[in-house]
Every structure is written in C-alpha cells, then in structure tokens.
Amino acid sequence: MRDFRKLDIWKNGIELVTQIYQLSDKLPSEEKFGLRSQITRAAVSVPSNIAEGCSRNSEVEFKRFLEIAIGSLFEVETQLVIAQKLKFIEEKELESIFTLVQKEAKMINSLINKIKNS
C-alpha cells in the first residue's frame, strides 16, 4: 500500500481543490447547484481517486484510479473554460489554475506511463 500523502500528485490535487473552491465563490448564486457543484465535485475527485488508487494492491488497479483522476481533471478544465466563456470568471483569474491543471495532468500521465512500462 502506498502513502498517498507523500505523493506530489496528491498534494497538487489538494491545492487544485483549494483554488477551485475559492474560485467557485465567484460564480453566480444561481449556479450553486449547476456549474459550481459540478466543478467542485470534479476537483475533489482528482486527489480522492489518487488516494483510493493508493489503497489497491495491484498496479493495474492503481493505474485505473489514476485514469479516473485524470478524467476528472479534464472535467475541471472543461468547466473552467465554460465559466470563462459564460463570462462568470475573467481569463486572467484562471491562468494560475490552468497552469496547475496542466502540471497535474503531466504528473498523472507520467505516473500512468511509468506503471504501463513496468
């Protein structure tokens, strides 16, 4: 069993969740059960799936949870683009989060590839 708390991809995922929650406060109140709920749930799913994958005994299962985590990460990215297109959030406010999303995607993909090749 891996200690997920020591993984940089998990720590980065937690930072992403924190930033998404702060950003979601800027969404209109009528989006509370729409985009706000969707984006926060998708963000929470990223480090949660990394942590759950760490509890699995096989590399195949761990890789599967990493794939789910990256799927959730791409959901977050899509929802951020939607928020931007709907002019809920300024592009400048999203730059640091998009950078964090890209960093997380690279890290997860790297670990997935490492598992595939081992």
Side-chain angles (χ1 to χ4, degrees):
M1 186 166 67
R2 297 161 191 84
D3 185 354
F4 63 88
R5 292 169 205 86
K6 293 181 180 177
L7 294 177
D8 288 338
I9 59 170
W10 180 81
K11 293 174 188 175
N12 201 59
I14 294 295
E15 178 59 29
L16 178 66
V17 171
T18 304
Q19 288 189 29
I20 290 294
Y21 265 89
Q22 291 168 352
L23 187 72
S24 72
D25 285 342
K26 298 177 181 186
L27 294 173
S29 59
E30 61 267 14
E31 286 299 323
K32 182 176 183 178
F33 300 109
L35 189 56
R36 181 183 294 182
S37 173
Q38 190 71 23
I39 197 169
T40 54
R41 285 185 294 123
V44 167
S45 178
V46 175
S48 297
N49 275 292
I50 292 166
E52 187 171 353
C54 285
S55 73
R56 303 306 166 140
N57 290 325
S58 79
E59 294 294 298
V60 172
E61 284 185 283
F62 181 41
K63 183 174 81 63
R64 177 68 187 125
F65 278 91
L66 292 173
E67 291 166 346
I68 294 167
I70 203 160
S72 295
L73 185 65
F74 291 158
E75 279 186 62
V76 169
E77 186 173 11
T78 298
Q79 292 151 3
L80 290 170
V81 169
I82 291 167
Q84 179 185 352
K85 294 287 185 188
L86 294 173
K87 306 216 184 296
F88 292 153
I89 301 169
E90 296 293 322
E91 183 177 348
K92 189 168 185 133
E93 293 178 273
L94 295 173
E95 288 174 2
S96 66
I97 293 182
F98 279 133
T99 299
L100 190 59
V101 166
Q102 290 169 355
K103 178 182 175 184
E104 183 76 345
K106 287 178 184 176
M107 292 168 71
I108 295 172
N109 267 326
S110 177
L111 188 51
I112 288 170
N113 287 329
K114 183 178 176 183
I115 292 168
K116 279 183 193 175
N117 296 327
S118 63

